[in-house]
């Protein structure tokens, strides 16, 4: 099956690009498999509990959903061929068709039976895809930019006077509030048009998470107790408190002030930020050396890792949409931290607060981030009526008066 494996290597980066086109027109590519990768199963008619335990959200089947079924081998191959055909020449497609037919007549049934046997159990992996997905993403040693991290370009705010810093403050504060819904067990599940819940397990891993590099394999680590966000700007790293020790949320004005202070800092002479976009084993070795060389480095790295989300402030306005897409995908590396979920903010003369979400695809999916973005936009624009009927507003935490603490993080 020599032709099948190279095609996966081609399709993967294409999915994260700005779009796939043929003769100037967007291609329609079948991505049904991708939609299920972070789901334990598919929906069925169940009773939705009013609350869940955050610590068990990933392991408990709260909605009584059925396990995602393994599709027939013939269906999988047909779906694969439909997805590949728009991306290759007719000559190459004939070769791939022949390889698929050989696979179906040869090794395919044996491997399919093995997959069915792997899936005949309870507990992790929660679907036939999950362990293979995790092994692939956690084990890949290629750099994250383009290969791992896709993005959303968030629609500009209708108010042209709104700056990127103001809007970043709104969204970062909103994410801190939204994360409280996830943490306190009240985040409502997404539902289909009939009101049937969809799997919510991936929401747990979106909060205060870090993909930590180790030799040979990365590990997802979480810090649900975190009350701060990580901010990156011109090679500088900061930890900004957004929830006070007594449970009060920072105001948008105060957080915007903090972001202005950070943006005003001079570029760092030396920065470790670009290392997070390196080959994962290279980054693992460098990180281990940093941690071993200084207690200060360990303290600063822990603060970076623990951020509820990472806000990245760019200092150059992209010339056009293509340049914006390139910047979102590939950097500047000094203003990115690829181990975390990243909210990117771009200066813009036209206003509207240009933002993008560059997310870690190993353990989160576009469906979850679309949910977050939709809720935050409805709340910041005062359009809560556009939220689904089953979705409540963001938690109403008391607001802190004035600024909360901020720390510039240093590495020896």
């Amino acid at each position: 099956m020599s032709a099948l494996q190279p095609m996966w290597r081609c399709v993967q980066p294409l999915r994260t690009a700005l779009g796939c086109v043929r003769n100037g027109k967007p291609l329609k590519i079948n991505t049904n498999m991708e939609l299920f990768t972070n789901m334990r199963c598919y929906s069925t008619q169940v009773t939705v509990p009013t609350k869940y335990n955050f610590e068990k959200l990933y392991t408990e089947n709260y909605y009584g959903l059925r396990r995602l079924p393994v599709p027939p081998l013939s269906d999988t191959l047909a779906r694969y061929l439909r997805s590949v055909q728009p991306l290759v020449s007719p000559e190459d497609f004939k070769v791939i068709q022949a390889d698929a037919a050989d696979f179906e007549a040869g090794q395919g049934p044996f491997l399919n039976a093995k997959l069915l046997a792997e899936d005949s159990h309870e507990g992790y992996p929660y679907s036939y895809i999950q362990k293979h997905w995790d092994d692939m993403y956690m084990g890949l040693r290629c750099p994250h930019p383009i290969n791992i991290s896709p993005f959303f370009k968030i629609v500009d705010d209708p108010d042209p006077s709104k700056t990127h810093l103001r809007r970043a403050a709104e969204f970062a504060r909103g994410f801190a509030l939204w994360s409280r819904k996830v943490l306190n067990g009240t985040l409502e599940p997404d539902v289909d048009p009939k009101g049937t819940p969809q799997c919510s397990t991936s929401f747990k891993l979106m909060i205060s998470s870090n993909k930590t590099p180790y030799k040979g394999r990365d590990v997802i680590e979480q810090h649900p107790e975190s009350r701060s966000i990580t901010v990156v700007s011109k090679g500088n790293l900061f930890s900004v408190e957004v929830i006070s020790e007594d449970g009060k949320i920072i105001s948008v004005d105060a957080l915007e002030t903090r972001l202005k202070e950070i943006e005003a800092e001079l570029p760092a002479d030396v920065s470790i930020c670009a290392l997070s976009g390196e080959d994962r084993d290279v980054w693992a070795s460098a990180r281990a050396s940093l941690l071993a060389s200084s207690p200060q480095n360990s303290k600063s790295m822990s603060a970076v890792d623990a951020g509820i989300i990472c806000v990245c402030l760019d200092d150059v306005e992209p010339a056009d949409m293509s340049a914006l897409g390139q910047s979102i995908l590939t950097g500047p590396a000094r203003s990115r931290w690829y181990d975390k979920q990243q909210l990117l903010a771009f200066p813009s003369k036209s206003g509207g607060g240009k933002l993008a979400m560059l997310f870690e695809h190993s353990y989160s999916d576009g469906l979850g981030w679309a949910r977050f973005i939709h809720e935050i936009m409805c709340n910041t624009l005062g359009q809560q009526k556009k939220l689904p009927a089953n979705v409540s507003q963001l938690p109403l935490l008391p607001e802190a008066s004035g600024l909360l603490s901020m720390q510039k993080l240093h590495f020896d």
Side-chain angles (χ1 to χ4, degrees), residues 293-315:
S293 65
S294 160
Q296 176 62 49
N297 289 351
S298 294
K299 182 179 179 182
S300 294
M301 192 70 78
S302 293
V304 174
D305 292 348
I308 296 171
I309 196 170
C310 182
V311 178
C312 303
L313 306 179
D314 276 27
D315 56 330

Side-chain angles (χ1 to χ4, degrees), residues 142-159:
C142 58
H144 273 29
I146 298 180
N147 295 305
I148 305 294
S149 302
F151 71 87
F152 282 96
K153 163 62 180 75
I154 300 172
V155 176
D156 291 351
D157 194 285
D159 180 1

Side-chain angles (χ1 to χ4, degrees), residues 117-381:
E118 283 183 1
D119 195 49
S120 59
H121 66 88
E122 294 299 322
Y124 180 88
Y126 300 106
S127 77
Y128 70 94
I129 297 172
Q130 190 170 28
K131 186 177 185 304
H132 300 283
W133 176 271
D134 290 347
D135 288 347
M136 177 189 71
Y137 270 117
M138 297 299 121
L140 280 172
R141 310 326 287 154
C142 58
H144 273 29
I146 298 180
N147 295 305
I148 305 294
S149 302
F151 71 87
F152 282 96
K153 163 62 180 75
I154 300 172
V155 176
D156 291 351
D157 194 285
D159 180 1
S161 69
K162 190 167 287 187
T163 67
H164 63 299
L165 297 182
R166 179 71 179 186
R167 199 147 182 248
E170 290 177 345
F171 265 73
R173 180 183 186 272
F175 188 76
L177 288 172
W178 189 77
S179 71
R180 300 309 101 176
K181 285 179 73 174
V182 179
L183 288 165
N184 66 24
T186 59
L187 182 77
E188 306 85 356
D190 286 332
V191 296
D192 68 13
K194 296 180 179 179
T196 307
Q198 309 297 296
C199 187
S200 294
T201 55
S202 65
F203 289 123
K204 180 184 188 297
L205 300 181
M206 293 168 61
I207 307 301
S208 306
S209 51
N210 194 72
K211 187 181 181 185
T212 307
Y214 293 94
K215 273 284 189 181
R217 188 181 176 96
D218 296 341
V219 175
I220 306 302
E221 298 175 346
Q222 274 197 287
H223 308 268
E225 74 288 348
S226 177
R227 297 183 288 105
S228 300
I229 62 171
T230 301
V231 182
V232 188
S233 175
K234 294 176 284 190
N236 299 305
L237 282 159
F238 293 81
S239 178
V240 180
E241 187 180 26
V242 292
I243 298 176
S244 65
E245 198 170 345
D246 59 355
K248 295 179 180 177
I249 187 77
I250 193 171
S251 68
V252 175
D253 288 342
L255 185 51
E256 182 185 19
T257 297
R258 287 303 196 200
L259 296 182
K260 286 179 178 178
E261 293 171 356
I262 291 171
E263 190 177 61
E265 289 272 334
L266 293 173
D269 293 329
V270 178
S271 175
I272 67 167
C273 294
L275 289 171
S276 71
E278 254 287 5
D279 174 275
R280 297 305 285 178
D281 279 343
V282 172
W283 173 215
S285 296
R287 178 185 163 105
S289 296
L290 281 167
L291 297 180
S293 65
S294 160
Q296 176 62 49
N297 289 351
S298 294
K299 182 179 179 182
S300 294
M301 192 70 78
S302 293
V304 174
D305 292 348
I308 296 171
I309 196 170
C310 182
V311 178
C312 303
L313 306 179
D314 276 27
D315 56 330
V316 177
E317 178 179 2
D320 51 31
M321 188 62 76
S322 179
L324 176 63
Q326 184 72 30
S327 182
I328 295 171
L329 277 175
T330 62
R334 63 177 183 164
S335 294
R336 299 289 182 270
W337 195 264
Y338 288 98
D339 295 352
K340 297 190 69 64
Q341 317 290 3
Q342 301 175 86
L343 177 68
L344 314 183
F346 301 88
S348 172
K349 293 184 181 67
S350 60
K354 282 205 176 348
L355 298 181
M357 194 74 219
L358 184 67
F359 60 92
E360 226 301 336
H361 207 219
S362 306
Y363 58 98
S364 67
D365 195 71
L367 297 172
W369 291 109
R371 163 75 181 272
F372 152 67
I373 292 168
H374 182 60
E375 282 200 48
I376 302 306
M377 287 196 70
C378 286
N379 277 275
T380 56
L381 297 176

Side-chain angles (χ1 to χ4, degrees), residues 41-90:
C41 34
Y42 61 89
S43 60
T44 186
Q45 194 62 45
V46 297
T47 301
V48 180
T50 56
K51 200 166 183 179
Y52 56 82
N53 182 326
F54 171 77
E55 293 299 330
K56 296 181 179 180
L57 180 59
Y58 193 75
T59 57
E60 292 285 328
N61 187 1
Y62 276 101
Y63 309 132
L65 305 180
R66 290 185 292 165
R67 199 174 184 89
L68 184 68
V70 178
L73 178 61
S74 58
D75 290 358
T76 299
L77 288 171
R79 198 160 54 242
Y80 169 74
L81 291 172
R82 288 199 303 271
S83 298
V84 168
Q85 189 171 15
L87 305 175
V88 299
S89 68

